[in-house]
Amino acid sequence: MAHVKIAPSILASDFSRLGDEVRAIDQAGCDYVHIDVMDGHFVPNLTFGPPIIKSIRPHTDKVFDVHLMIEPAQPYLEHYAAAGADILTVHVEADKHLDRSLQLIRSLGKKAGVSLNPATPINTIEYVLDKLDLILVMSVNPGFGGQSFIPSALDKIRNIRKLIGDRPIEIEVDGGVNADNAAAIVEAGASVLVAGSAVFNKPDYRVAIEAIRNATS
Ligand code: DX5
Ligand code: ZN
């Protein structure tokens, strides 16, 4: 299997030591830093916005993978780009003008991602594939860490893999990912695995990241 990227979600980190936590996952060998932005409206939880992302940017050179669970997202894309995002992912359910948002993200020089909630069909992204760098498949209902992986996500990943053909689009999976289910998720076609509790709730982040990575190779 191809090299899978691991993206620890700082939602599960100790917020009082955010800079240290980001440095720790960097040194532990993560590929991306997954940053969950929540607005208390699109999802029933609130996290952080551009100033906090900007404050952790100097702590690592790793890719900032910013998952926007906010509605609307379009008016804020510029602010998240300026704060240091490398990938900006919007939710298809939160955007009436998805095509325009994806164009805007690329015009800001960032990689464009779209996320689908567990109940959202994949035909919602059929006509924007050429504007996408990443598809984020939610394998839990977004809002909270520590939930269980929803098995129907596996079928969805397989179908998305068929849909994208040979386009260079990454498939990222988010929610309930751990060393026990990572192999099946990558087998289905995922190339990036988000892991919150499976990394930050472990005493040694390097061991936790390697456990997920090794399970897939
Ligand atoms: C959920 C977030 C996830 C979350 C994953 O809304 O998008 O990124 O942090 O956490 P775990 O890995 O604990 O399910
Ligand atoms: Zn996320």
PDB file of all heavy atoms in Angstrom, residues 7-12 34-38 43 67 69 91 136 138-149 174-178 194-199 201, ligand 1:
ATOM      1  N   ALA A   7      -2.587  12.703  10.030  1.00  0.00           N
ATOM      2  CA  ALA A   7      -2.926  14.087  10.375  1.00  0.00           C
ATOM      3  C   ALA A   7      -3.561  14.128  11.770  1.00  0.00           C
ATOM      4  O   ALA A   7      -4.781  14.029  11.907  1.00  0.00           O
ATOM      5  CB  ALA A   7      -3.896  14.659   9.327  1.00  0.00           C
ATOM      6  N   PRO A   8      -2.751  14.272  12.818  1.00  0.00           N
ATOM      7  CA  PRO A   8      -3.332  14.358  14.158  1.00  0.00           C
ATOM      8  C   PRO A   8      -4.224  15.603  14.281  1.00  0.00           C
ATOM      9  O   PRO A   8      -3.856  16.680  13.810  1.00  0.00           O
ATOM     10  CB  PRO A   8      -2.107  14.470  15.078  1.00  0.00           C
ATOM     11  CG  PRO A   8      -0.970  13.904  14.278  1.00  0.00           C
ATOM     12  CD  PRO A   8      -1.275  14.291  12.858  1.00  0.00           C
ATOM     13  N   SER A   9      -5.389  15.410  14.894  1.00  0.00           N
ATOM     14  CA  SER A   9      -6.320  16.528  15.082  1.00  0.00           C
ATOM     15  C   SER A   9      -6.069  17.174  16.434  1.00  0.00           C
ATOM     16  O   SER A   9      -6.263  16.532  17.478  1.00  0.00           O
ATOM     17  CB  SER A   9      -7.760  16.027  15.026  1.00  0.00           C
ATOM     18  OG  SER A   9      -8.606  17.025  15.578  1.00  0.00           O
ATOM     19  N   ILE A  10      -5.688  18.453  16.404  1.00  0.00           N
ATOM     20  CA  ILE A  10      -5.372  19.134  17.663  1.00  0.00           C
ATOM     21  C   ILE A  10      -6.613  19.418  18.508  1.00  0.00           C
ATOM     22  O   ILE A  10      -6.496  19.924  19.622  1.00  0.00           O
ATOM     23  CB  ILE A  10      -4.564  20.437  17.439  1.00  0.00           C
ATOM     24  CG1 ILE A  10      -5.326  21.426  16.541  1.00  0.00           C
ATOM     25  CG2 ILE A  10      -3.180  20.117  16.881  1.00  0.00           C
ATOM     26  CD1 ILE A  10      -4.706  22.820  16.506  1.00  0.00           C
ATOM     27  N   LEU A  11      -7.794  19.039  17.994  1.00  0.00           N
ATOM     28  CA  LEU A  11      -9.008  19.139  18.815  1.00  0.00           C
ATOM     29  C   LEU A  11      -8.845  18.332  20.107  1.00  0.00           C
ATOM     30  O   LEU A  11      -9.407  18.689  21.140  1.00  0.00           O
ATOM     31  CB  LEU A  11     -10.211  18.619  18.012  1.00  0.00           C
ATOM     32  CG  LEU A  11     -11.574  18.670  18.688  1.00  0.00           C
ATOM     33  CD1 LEU A  11     -12.002  20.117  18.940  1.00  0.00           C
ATOM     34  CD2 LEU A  11     -12.633  17.964  17.847  1.00  0.00           C
ATOM     35  N   ALA A  12      -8.075  17.248  20.022  1.00  0.00           N
ATOM     36  CA  ALA A  12      -7.903  16.366  21.186  1.00  0.00           C
ATOM     37  C   ALA A  12      -6.677  16.738  22.026  1.00  0.00           C
ATOM     38  O   ALA A  12      -6.336  16.037  22.978  1.00  0.00           O
ATOM     39  CB  ALA A  12      -7.788  14.915  20.717  1.00  0.00           C
ATOM     40  N   HIS A  34      -3.975  18.648  11.646  1.00  0.00           N
ATOM     41  CA  HIS A  34      -5.397  18.812  11.321  1.00  0.00           C
ATOM     42  C   HIS A  34      -6.031  19.772  12.331  1.00  0.00           C
ATOM     43  O   HIS A  34      -5.971  19.545  13.543  1.00  0.00           O
ATOM     44  CB  HIS A  34      -6.088  17.448  11.353  1.00  0.00           C
ATOM     45  CG  HIS A  34      -7.510  17.482  10.899  1.00  0.00           C
ATOM     46  ND1 HIS A  34      -7.872  17.489   9.568  1.00  0.00           N
ATOM     47  CD2 HIS A  34      -8.670  17.517  11.598  1.00  0.00           C
ATOM     48  CE1 HIS A  34      -9.193  17.518   9.464  1.00  0.00           C
ATOM     49  NE2 HIS A  34      -9.701  17.538  10.687  1.00  0.00           N
ATOM     50  N   ILE A  35      -6.625  20.831  11.797  1.00  0.00           N
ATOM     51  CA  ILE A  35      -7.138  21.912  12.649  1.00  0.00           C
ATOM     52  C   ILE A  35      -8.644  22.040  12.446  1.00  0.00           C
ATOM     53  O   ILE A  35      -9.116  22.423  11.366  1.00  0.00           O
ATOM     54  CB  ILE A  35      -6.406  23.232  12.309  1.00  0.00           C
ATOM     55  CG1 ILE A  35      -4.888  23.043  12.508  1.00  0.00           C
ATOM     56  CG2 ILE A  35      -6.955  24.379  13.159  1.00  0.00           C
ATOM     57  CD1 ILE A  35      -4.040  24.252  12.113  1.00  0.00           C
ATOM     58  N   ASP A  36      -9.409  21.688  13.478  1.00  0.00           N
ATOM     59  CA  ASP A  36     -10.871  21.660  13.399  1.00  0.00           C
ATOM     60  C   ASP A  36     -11.463  22.990  13.848  1.00  0.00           C
ATOM     61  O   ASP A  36     -11.462  23.317  15.030  1.00  0.00           O
ATOM     62  CB  ASP A  36     -11.407  20.538  14.296  1.00  0.00           C
ATOM     63  CG  ASP A  36     -11.143  19.173  13.706  1.00  0.00           C
ATOM     64  OD1 ASP A  36     -11.516  18.954  12.538  1.00  0.00           O
ATOM     65  OD2 ASP A  36     -10.565  18.316  14.404  1.00  0.00           O
ATOM     66  N   VAL A  37     -11.994  23.723  12.871  1.00  0.00           N
ATOM     67  CA  VAL A  37     -12.609  25.020  13.169  1.00  0.00           C
ATOM     68  C   VAL A  37     -14.126  24.831  13.248  1.00  0.00           C
ATOM     69  O   VAL A  37     -14.751  24.385  12.285  1.00  0.00           O
ATOM     70  CB  VAL A  37     -12.255  26.046  12.075  1.00  0.00           C
ATOM     71  CG1 VAL A  37     -12.950  27.377  12.346  1.00  0.00           C
ATOM     72  CG2 VAL A  37     -10.739  26.244  11.985  1.00  0.00           C
ATOM     73  N   MET A  38     -14.710  25.150  14.409  1.00  0.00           N
ATOM     74  CA  MET A  38     -16.152  24.946  14.630  1.00  0.00           C
ATOM     75  C   MET A  38     -16.808  26.247  15.069  1.00  0.00           C
ATOM     76  O   MET A  38     -16.213  27.011  15.826  1.00  0.00           O
ATOM     77  CB  MET A  38     -16.366  23.887  15.708  1.00  0.00           C
ATOM     78  CG  MET A  38     -15.705  22.560  15.383  1.00  0.00           C
ATOM     79  SD  MET A  38     -16.128  21.324  16.605  1.00  0.00           S
ATOM     80  CE  MET A  38     -15.137  19.947  16.034  1.00  0.00           C
ATOM     81  N   VAL A  43     -21.994  23.144  13.415  1.00  0.00           N
ATOM     82  CA  VAL A  43     -21.817  22.010  14.332  1.00  0.00           C
ATOM     83  C   VAL A  43     -22.035  22.494  15.766  1.00  0.00           C
ATOM     84  O   VAL A  43     -21.812  23.670  16.057  1.00  0.00           O
ATOM     85  CB  VAL A  43     -20.396  21.381  14.219  1.00  0.00           C
ATOM     86  CG1 VAL A  43     -20.243  20.605  12.930  1.00  0.00           C
ATOM     87  CG2 VAL A  43     -19.308  22.429  14.343  1.00  0.00           C
ATOM     88  N   HIS A  67      -9.850  22.309   8.631  1.00  0.00           N
ATOM     89  CA  HIS A  67     -11.175  21.731   8.385  1.00  0.00           C
ATOM     90  C   HIS A  67     -12.217  22.709   8.920  1.00  0.00           C
ATOM     91  O   HIS A  67     -12.397  22.824  10.135  1.00  0.00           O
ATOM     92  CB  HIS A  67     -11.227  20.370   9.113  1.00  0.00           C
ATOM     93  CG  HIS A  67     -12.541  19.673   9.039  1.00  0.00           C
ATOM     94  ND1 HIS A  67     -12.840  18.574   9.808  1.00  0.00           N
ATOM     95  CD2 HIS A  67     -13.645  19.893   8.264  1.00  0.00           C
ATOM     96  CE1 HIS A  67     -14.059  18.153   9.526  1.00  0.00           C
ATOM     97  NE2 HIS A  67     -14.577  18.940   8.599  1.00  0.00           N
ATOM     98  N   MET A  69     -15.634  23.772   9.799  1.00  0.00           N
ATOM     99  CA  MET A  69     -17.017  23.357  10.081  1.00  0.00           C
ATOM    100  C   MET A  69     -17.782  24.618  10.459  1.00  0.00           C
ATOM    101  O   MET A  69     -18.225  24.797  11.599  1.00  0.00           O
ATOM    102  CB  MET A  69     -17.016  22.316  11.213  1.00  0.00           C
ATOM    103  CG  MET A  69     -16.499  20.967  10.752  1.00  0.00           C
ATOM    104  SD  MET A  69     -15.977  19.907  12.103  1.00  0.00           S
ATOM    105  CE  MET A  69     -14.299  20.468  12.291  1.00  0.00           C
ATOM    106  N   HIS A  91     -17.288  22.471   3.983  1.00  0.00           N
ATOM    107  CA  HIS A  91     -18.303  21.417   3.942  1.00  0.00           C
ATOM    108  C   HIS A  91     -19.296  21.671   2.827  1.00  0.00           C
ATOM    109  O   HIS A  91     -19.807  22.789   2.691  1.00  0.00           O
ATOM    110  CB  HIS A  91     -19.042  21.341   5.283  1.00  0.00           C
ATOM    111  CG  HIS A  91     -18.478  20.301   6.188  1.00  0.00           C
ATOM    112  ND1 HIS A  91     -18.997  19.036   6.283  1.00  0.00           N
ATOM    113  CD2 HIS A  91     -17.396  20.337   6.992  1.00  0.00           C
ATOM    114  CE1 HIS A  91     -18.269  18.329   7.129  1.00  0.00           C
ATOM    115  NE2 HIS A  91     -17.288  19.097   7.577  1.00  0.00           N
ATOM    116  N   LEU A 136     -12.543  15.213   2.000  1.00  0.00           N
ATOM    117  CA  LEU A 136     -12.511  14.795   3.408  1.00  0.00           C
ATOM    118  C   LEU A 136     -13.810  14.054   3.718  1.00  0.00           C
ATOM    119  O   LEU A 136     -14.890  14.656   3.751  1.00  0.00           O
ATOM    120  CB  LEU A 136     -12.360  16.033   4.300  1.00  0.00           C
ATOM    121  CG  LEU A 136     -12.411  15.856   5.812  1.00  0.00           C
ATOM    122  CD1 LEU A 136     -11.383  14.843   6.297  1.00  0.00           C
ATOM    123  CD2 LEU A 136     -12.164  17.176   6.503  1.00  0.00           C
ATOM    124  N   MET A 138     -16.178  12.398   6.189  1.00  0.00           N
ATOM    125  CA  MET A 138     -16.458  12.326   7.622  1.00  0.00           C
ATOM    126  C   MET A 138     -16.950  10.924   7.970  1.00  0.00           C
ATOM    127  O   MET A 138     -17.933  10.446   7.386  1.00  0.00           O
ATOM    128  CB  MET A 138     -17.529  13.351   8.029  1.00  0.00           C
ATOM    129  CG  MET A 138     -17.090  14.807   8.003  1.00  0.00           C
ATOM    130  SD  MET A 138     -15.544  15.171   8.870  1.00  0.00           S
ATOM    131  CE  MET A 138     -15.937  14.624  10.543  1.00  0.00           C
ATOM    132  N   SER A 139     -16.278  10.308   8.930  1.00  0.00           N
ATOM    133  CA  SER A 139     -16.688   8.980   9.373  1.00  0.00           C
ATOM    134  C   SER A 139     -17.304   9.038  10.773  1.00  0.00           C
ATOM    135  O   SER A 139     -17.501   8.014  11.428  1.00  0.00           O
ATOM    136  CB  SER A 139     -15.500   8.013   9.314  1.00  0.00           C
ATOM    137  OG  SER A 139     -14.330   8.630   9.784  1.00  0.00           O
ATOM    138  N   VAL A 140     -17.610  10.270  11.213  1.00  0.00           N
ATOM    139  CA  VAL A 140     -18.476  10.529  12.377  1.00  0.00           C
ATOM    140  C   VAL A 140     -19.270  11.785  12.012  1.00  0.00           C
ATOM    141  O   VAL A 140     -18.923  12.480  11.056  1.00  0.00           O
ATOM    142  CB  VAL A 140     -17.686  10.811  13.689  1.00  0.00           C
ATOM    143  CG1 VAL A 140     -16.845   9.608  14.100  1.00  0.00           C
ATOM    144  CG2 VAL A 140     -16.816  12.066  13.569  1.00  0.00           C
ATOM    145  N   ASN A 141     -20.309  12.077  12.775  1.00  0.00           N
ATOM    146  CA  ASN A 141     -20.986  13.358  12.598  1.00  0.00           C
ATOM    147  C   ASN A 141     -20.129  14.429  13.255  1.00  0.00           C
ATOM    148  O   ASN A 141     -19.772  14.307  14.433  1.00  0.00           O
ATOM    149  CB  ASN A 141     -22.392  13.301  13.197  1.00  0.00           C
ATOM    150  CG  ASN A 141     -23.297  12.414  12.365  1.00  0.00           C
ATOM    151  OD1 ASN A 141     -23.631  12.748  11.235  1.00  0.00           O
ATOM    152  ND2 ASN A 141     -23.656  11.257  12.891  1.00  0.00           N
ATOM    153  N   PRO A 142     -19.765  15.470  12.494  1.00  0.00           N
ATOM    154  CA  PRO A 142     -18.763  16.405  12.998  1.00  0.00           C
ATOM    155  C   PRO A 142     -19.241  17.188  14.222  1.00  0.00           C
ATOM    156  O   PRO A 142     -20.430  17.426  14.395  1.00  0.00           O
ATOM    157  CB  PRO A 142     -18.525  17.343  11.809  1.00  0.00           C
ATOM    158  CG  PRO A 142     -19.747  17.248  10.976  1.00  0.00           C
ATOM    159  CD  PRO A 142     -20.256  15.842  11.157  1.00  0.00           C
ATOM    160  N   GLY A 143     -18.282  17.574  15.041  1.00  0.00           N
ATOM    161  CA  GLY A 143     -18.590  18.377  16.223  1.00  0.00           C
ATOM    162  C   GLY A 143     -17.740  17.976  17.420  1.00  0.00           C
ATOM    163  O   GLY A 143     -17.366  18.827  18.221  1.00  0.00           O
ATOM    164  N   PHE A 144     -17.417  16.697  17.492  1.00  0.00           N
ATOM    165  CA  PHE A 144     -16.718  16.219  18.683  1.00  0.00           C
ATOM    166  C   PHE A 144     -15.700  15.138  18.342  1.00  0.00           C
ATOM    167  O   PHE A 144     -15.911  14.371  17.392  1.00  0.00           O
ATOM    168  CB  PHE A 144     -17.729  15.645  19.686  1.00  0.00           C
ATOM    169  CG  PHE A 144     -18.781  16.637  20.072  1.00  0.00           C
ATOM    170  CD1 PHE A 144     -20.002  16.651  19.406  1.00  0.00           C
ATOM    171  CD2 PHE A 144     -18.534  17.599  21.038  1.00  0.00           C
ATOM    172  CE1 PHE A 144     -20.975  17.595  19.722  1.00  0.00           C
ATOM    173  CE2 PHE A 144     -19.499  18.551  21.359  1.00  0.00           C
ATOM    174  CZ  PHE A 144     -20.727  18.556  20.705  1.00  0.00           C
ATOM    175  N   GLY A 145     -14.640  15.098  19.131  1.00  0.00           N
ATOM    176  CA  GLY A 145     -13.682  14.005  19.015  1.00  0.00           C
ATOM    177  C   GLY A 145     -14.183  12.806  19.811  1.00  0.00           C
ATOM    178  O   GLY A 145     -15.195  12.881  20.507  1.00  0.00           O
ATOM    179  N   GLY A 146     -13.489  11.702  19.669  1.00  0.00           N
ATOM    180  CA  GLY A 146     -13.759  10.540  20.507  1.00  0.00           C
ATOM    181  C   GLY A 146     -15.005   9.736  20.161  1.00  0.00           C
ATOM    182  O   GLY A 146     -15.459   8.921  20.966  1.00  0.00           O
ATOM    183  N   GLN A 147     -15.589   9.928  18.963  1.00  0.00           N
ATOM    184  CA  GLN A 147     -16.765   9.148  18.569  1.00  0.00           C
ATOM    185  C   GLN A 147     -16.328   7.891  17.801  1.00  0.00           C
ATOM    186  O   GLN A 147     -15.185   7.775  17.368  1.00  0.00           O
ATOM    187  CB  GLN A 147     -17.679   9.989  17.675  1.00  0.00           C
ATOM    188  CG  GLN A 147     -18.109  11.318  18.277  1.00  0.00           C
ATOM    189  CD  GLN A 147     -19.015  12.091  17.320  1.00  0.00           C
ATOM    190  OE1 GLN A 147     -20.191  11.789  17.153  1.00  0.00           O
ATOM    191  NE2 GLN A 147     -18.456  13.114  16.673  1.00  0.00           N
ATOM    192  N   SER A 148     -17.285   6.971  17.612  1.00  0.00           N
ATOM    193  CA  SER A 148     -16.963   5.721  16.914  1.00  0.00           C
ATOM    194  C   SER A 148     -17.100   5.864  15.406  1.00  0.00           C
ATOM    195  O   SER A 148     -18.037   6.507  14.910  1.00  0.00           O
ATOM    196  CB  SER A 148     -17.901   4.603  17.363  1.00  0.00           C
ATOM    197  OG  SER A 148     -17.745   4.402  18.728  1.00  0.00           O
ATOM    198  N   PHE A 149     -16.207   5.232  14.690  1.00  0.00           N
ATOM    199  CA  PHE A 149     -16.184   5.195  13.228  1.00  0.00           C
ATOM    200  C   PHE A 149     -17.497   4.611  12.689  1.00  0.00           C
ATOM    201  O   PHE A 149     -17.948   3.564  13.138  1.00  0.00           O
ATOM    202  CB  PHE A 149     -14.998   4.324  12.797  1.00  0.00           C
ATOM    203  CG  PHE A 149     -14.775   4.258  11.324  1.00  0.00           C
ATOM    204  CD1 PHE A 149     -14.011   5.222  10.672  1.00  0.00           C
ATOM    205  CD2 PHE A 149     -15.316   3.221  10.569  1.00  0.00           C
ATOM    206  CE1 PHE A 149     -13.790   5.149   9.298  1.00  0.00           C
ATOM    207  CE2 PHE A 149     -15.103   3.139   9.194  1.00  0.00           C
ATOM    208  CZ  PHE A 149     -14.343   4.110   8.559  1.00  0.00           C
ATOM    209  N   ASP A 174     -11.885  11.180   8.443  1.00  0.00           N
ATOM    210  CA  ASP A 174     -11.879  11.914   9.712  1.00  0.00           C
ATOM    211  C   ASP A 174     -12.984  11.420  10.641  1.00  0.00           C
ATOM    212  O   ASP A 174     -14.168  11.546  10.319  1.00  0.00           O
ATOM    213  CB  ASP A 174     -12.084  13.414   9.393  1.00  0.00           C
ATOM    214  CG  ASP A 174     -11.944  14.307  10.605  1.00  0.00           C
ATOM    215  OD1 ASP A 174     -11.614  13.813  11.694  1.00  0.00           O
ATOM    216  OD2 ASP A 174     -12.174  15.529  10.438  1.00  0.00           O
ATOM    217  N   GLY A 175     -12.563  10.884  11.793  1.00  0.00           N
ATOM    218  CA  GLY A 175     -13.518  10.508  12.827  1.00  0.00           C
ATOM    219  C   GLY A 175     -13.411   9.041  13.217  1.00  0.00           C
ATOM    220  O   GLY A 175     -13.662   8.161  12.394  1.00  0.00           O
ATOM    221  N   GLY A 176     -12.996   8.802  14.449  1.00  0.00           N
ATOM    222  CA  GLY A 176     -12.942   7.428  14.955  1.00  0.00           C
ATOM    223  C   GLY A 176     -11.880   6.560  14.317  1.00  0.00           C
ATOM    224  O   GLY A 176     -11.962   5.333  14.359  1.00  0.00           O
ATOM    225  N   VAL A 177     -10.867   7.190  13.732  1.00  0.00           N
ATOM    226  CA  VAL A 177      -9.783   6.419  13.091  1.00  0.00           C
ATOM    227  C   VAL A 177      -8.780   5.989  14.160  1.00  0.00           C
ATOM    228  O   VAL A 177      -8.404   6.789  15.028  1.00  0.00           O
ATOM    229  CB  VAL A 177      -9.073   7.273  12.007  1.00  0.00           C
ATOM    230  CG1 VAL A 177      -7.888   6.512  11.409  1.00  0.00           C
ATOM    231  CG2 VAL A 177     -10.058   7.701  10.916  1.00  0.00           C
ATOM    232  N   ASN A 178      -8.358   4.726  14.094  1.00  0.00           N
ATOM    233  CA  ASN A 178      -7.356   4.235  15.043  1.00  0.00           C
ATOM    234  C   ASN A 178      -6.552   3.099  14.402  1.00  0.00           C
ATOM    235  O   ASN A 178      -6.791   2.753  13.238  1.00  0.00           O
ATOM    236  CB  ASN A 178      -8.031   3.776  16.354  1.00  0.00           C
ATOM    237  CG  ASN A 178      -9.106   2.738  16.097  1.00  0.00           C
ATOM    238  OD1 ASN A 178      -8.904   1.800  15.335  1.00  0.00           O
ATOM    239  ND2 ASN A 178     -10.271   2.930  16.722  1.00  0.00           N
ATOM    240  N   VAL A 194      -6.972  11.189   9.557  1.00  0.00           N
ATOM    241  CA  VAL A 194      -7.027  12.110  10.692  1.00  0.00           C
ATOM    242  C   VAL A 194      -7.175  11.263  11.955  1.00  0.00           C
ATOM    243  O   VAL A 194      -7.919  10.289  11.960  1.00  0.00           O
ATOM    244  CB  VAL A 194      -8.246  13.061  10.570  1.00  0.00           C
ATOM    245  CG1 VAL A 194      -8.351  13.965  11.798  1.00  0.00           C
ATOM    246  CG2 VAL A 194      -8.157  13.886   9.296  1.00  0.00           C
ATOM    247  N   ALA A 195      -6.451  11.630  12.993  1.00  0.00           N
ATOM    248  CA  ALA A 195      -6.600  10.904  14.262  1.00  0.00           C
ATOM    249  C   ALA A 195      -6.455  11.886  15.414  1.00  0.00           C
ATOM    250  O   ALA A 195      -5.405  12.511  15.569  1.00  0.00           O
ATOM    251  CB  ALA A 195      -5.561   9.802  14.368  1.00  0.00           C
ATOM    252  N   GLY A 196      -7.522  12.036  16.180  1.00  0.00           N
ATOM    253  CA  GLY A 196      -7.498  12.920  17.349  1.00  0.00           C
ATOM    254  C   GLY A 196      -7.147  12.129  18.585  1.00  0.00           C
ATOM    255  O   GLY A 196      -5.993  12.090  19.026  1.00  0.00           O
ATOM    256  N   SER A 197      -8.151  11.453  19.140  1.00  0.00           N
ATOM    257  CA  SER A 197      -7.915  10.716  20.387  1.00  0.00           C
ATOM    258  C   SER A 197      -6.895   9.594  20.228  1.00  0.00           C
ATOM    259  O   SER A 197      -6.170   9.296  21.179  1.00  0.00           O
ATOM    260  CB  SER A 197      -9.233  10.178  20.964  1.00  0.00           C
ATOM    261  OG  SER A 197     -10.256  10.160  20.029  1.00  0.00           O
ATOM    262  N   ALA A 198      -6.831   8.988  19.034  1.00  0.00           N
ATOM    263  CA  ALA A 198      -5.881   7.874  18.842  1.00  0.00           C
ATOM    264  C   ALA A 198      -4.422   8.332  18.899  1.00  0.00           C
ATOM    265  O   ALA A 198      -3.517   7.508  18.993  1.00  0.00           O
ATOM    266  CB  ALA A 198      -6.148   7.160  17.523  1.00  0.00           C
ATOM    267  N   VAL A 199      -4.190   9.648  18.866  1.00  0.00           N
ATOM    268  CA  VAL A 199      -2.826  10.165  19.051  1.00  0.00           C
ATOM    269  C   VAL A 199      -2.706  10.871  20.410  1.00  0.00           C
ATOM    270  O   VAL A 199      -1.880  10.508  21.246  1.00  0.00           O
ATOM    271  CB  VAL A 199      -2.425  11.132  17.915  1.00  0.00           C
ATOM    272  CG1 VAL A 199      -1.090  11.816  18.229  1.00  0.00           C
ATOM    273  CG2 VAL A 199      -2.330  10.378  16.581  1.00  0.00           C
ATOM    274  N   ASN A 201      -4.558  10.998  23.085  1.00  0.00           N
ATOM    275  CA  ASN A 201      -4.891  10.308  24.337  1.00  0.00           C
ATOM    276  C   ASN A 201      -3.877   9.227  24.691  1.00  0.00           C
ATOM    277  O   ASN A 201      -4.072   8.485  25.635  1.00  0.00           O
ATOM    278  CB  ASN A 201      -6.300   9.695  24.275  1.00  0.00           C
ATOM    279  CG  ASN A 201      -7.370  10.773  24.278  1.00  0.00           C
ATOM    280  OD1 ASN A 201      -7.060  11.963  24.322  1.00  0.00           O
ATOM    281  ND2 ASN A 201      -8.625  10.362  24.218  1.00  0.00           N
TER     282      ASN A 201
HETATM  283  C1  DX5 B   1     -14.819  15.955  14.383  1.00  0.00           C
HETATM  284  C2  DX5 B   1     -13.485  16.437  13.877  1.00  0.00           C
HETATM  285  C3  DX5 B   1     -12.410  15.431  13.954  1.00  0.00           C
HETATM  286  C4  DX5 B   1     -12.080  14.952  15.335  1.00  0.00           C
HETATM  287  C5  DX5 B   1     -11.578  13.548  15.221  1.00  0.00           C
HETATM  288  O1  DX5 B   1     -15.774  16.924  14.131  1.00  0.00           O
HETATM  289  O2  DX5 B   1     -13.593  16.864  12.535  1.00  0.00           O
HETATM  290  O3  DX5 B   1     -11.229  15.905  13.290  1.00  0.00           O
HETATM  291  O4  DX5 B   1     -11.107  15.723  15.974  1.00  0.00           O
HETATM  292  O5  DX5 B   1     -11.369  13.054  16.502  1.00  0.00           O
HETATM  293  P1  DX5 B   1     -11.248  11.487  16.778  1.00  0.00           P
HETATM  294  O6  DX5 B   1     -10.063  11.006  15.987  1.00  0.00           O
HETATM  295  O7  DX5 B   1     -11.062  11.413  18.245  1.00  0.00           O
HETATM  296  O8  DX5 B   1     -12.527  10.859  16.293  1.00  0.00           O
END
